Amino acid sequence: WARAVRGLLLDVSGVLYDSGGDGGVPIAGSVEAVRRIKASGLKLRFCTNETQATREKFVKKLQGMGFDISVAEVTAPAPAACRILKERSLRPHLLVHNDLVPEFAEIDKADPNCVVIGDAAENFTYANLNEAFRVLIGMEKPVLISLGRGRYYKETDGLKLDVGAYMKALEYACDVQAEVVGKPAKMFFESALAEMGLPPEQALMIGDDIVNDVGGAQRCGMRALQVRTGKYRPCDENHPHVKPDAYVNNLAEAVDIILQQL
């Protein structure tokens, strides 16, 4: 799986660091692993479903942990969603984290004709979910755009419900199928590959999510690894549908193997 790799797509939360109320902590060896990737000449994209902050704020946090990363290297759902909203003249009702709202500053939000849902964390109250439900149920043809469909993720104090659980609630209540913008959507991975200028067979995805990271990348023709960090659980290795090209204990181990093949 490590042969003929010309570029890496790295998930962020659970691969580079574990998030948390205190900002989070880097996973052992990950800062140095990113430095080694960049020194090797391999192309690199950071592919995240992070929707609790703007890319600028998110990158600044990672830089504070010691990571060599810039906003231009990050593929994230919110900018992609904004492109879709503009192209289709959609005006969103936002059910997102307060810190993500600035990403939608240039989008018309008056008289909403769709709902955009992200990882709203504490904003996932009954009142807020019900308001989004009322917007959707009042439409002749409801449009629900979700910035991911993860079931849960890991923070320093344990696992947390992700946007997918709330997306499913709105799908069920409104009898609508959400359009997923982040991982595992094919468009998301194709966008990252285009930014790298690589065909899928020359790229490798490394993530902690068996379905959204590994399965999504493989459906686009990429190889994909699952790290045994972040949200990984041993039962992932018996997943009925998704089989990673390999398991590695962490990002540092994966980078060791990849660089040996260059």
Side-chain angles (χ1 to χ4, degrees):
W1 58 263
R3 295 185 183 277
V5 171
R6 296 292 173 262
L8 298 178
L9 292 78
L10 302 184
D11 180 30
V12 179
S13 179
V15 174
L16 300 187
Y17 83 115
D18 283 324
S19 59
D22 55 354
V25 294
I27 292 170
S30 59
V31 171
E32 176 65 11
V34 170
R35 188 198 65 76
R36 293 179 67 201
I37 293 167
K38 292 198 166 186
S40 73
L42 288 169
K43 294 187 177 182
L44 177 63
R45 294 296 297 177
F46 298 94
C47 295
T48 179
N49 270 6
E50 169 64 44
T51 56
Q52 287 195 15
T54 61
R55 282 181 301 165
E56 288 77 8
K57 188 173 181 179
F58 181 56
V59 164
K60 188 173 182 181
K61 177 175 75 171
L62 290 169
Q63 288 171 340
M65 295 181 190
F67 288 102
D68 180 2
I69 182 174
S70 67
V71 173
E73 296 172 309
V74 176
T75 301
C82 287
R83 286 194 296 272
I84 291 170
L85 295 169
K86 289 178 180 177
E87 288 168 4
R88 292 163 56 182
S89 299
L90 292 171
R91 302 179 304 277
H93 170 85
L94 297 176
L95 179 51
V96 300
H97 197 283
N98 291 340
D99 289 345
L100 190 71
V101 172
E103 289 273 19
F104 297 88
E106 297 181 6
I107 300 296
D108 181 5
K109 294 178 280 292
D111 189 22
N113 57 2
C114 73
V115 168
V116 172
I117 184 172
D119 182 11
E122 283 74 19
N123 280 350
F124 278 136
T125 63
Y126 175 79
N128 288 343
L129 276 165
N130 201 51
E131 186 178 3
F133 159 74
R134 285 176 170 174
V135 172
L136 282 171
I137 205 72
M139 297 176 191
E140 186 177 344
K141 293 183 178 179
V143 177
L144 174 61
I145 296 173
S146 185
L147 307 180
R149 69 173 192 196
R151 295 176 177 178
Y152 55 86
Y153 56 93
K154 184 184 178 186
E155 289 197 339
T156 50
D157 61 347
L159 298 176
K160 302 289 179 72
L161 274 178
D162 204 350
V163 61
Y166 303 95
M167 177 197 83
K168 285 292 184 182
L170 291 175
E171 282 186 332
Y172 177 68
C174 301
D175 194 21
V176 63
Q177 183 79 39
E179 301 175 39
V180 179
V181 176
K183 296 176 289 185
K186 192 173 183 180
M187 180 180 68
F188 183 91
F189 290 105
E190 289 175 343
S191 176
L193 287 169
E195 288 158 351
M196 299 170 81
L198 290 177
E201 59 269 16
Q202 293 182 5
L204 177 72
M205 176 72 201
I206 303 176
D208 68 328
D209 188 314
I210 186 72
V211 173
N212 294 321
D213 294 333
V214 176
Q218 287 178 332
R219 282 195 298 275
C220 287
M222 282 185 271
R223 286 163 281 176
L225 308 184
Q226 186 178 16
V227 291
R228 294 188 177 101
T229 56
K231 68 190 293 183
Y232 163 86
R233 295 192 298 164
C235 63
D236 291 344
E237 302 197 22
N238 298 313
H239 195 279
H241 307 300
V242 183
K243 304 296 179 188
D245 290 85
Y247 291 94
V248 289
N249 288 321
N250 49 46
L251 176 62
E253 181 180 302
V255 171
D256 281 342
I257 297 168
I258 293 162
L259 296 187
Q260 288 171 13
Q261 298 293 327
L262 293 181

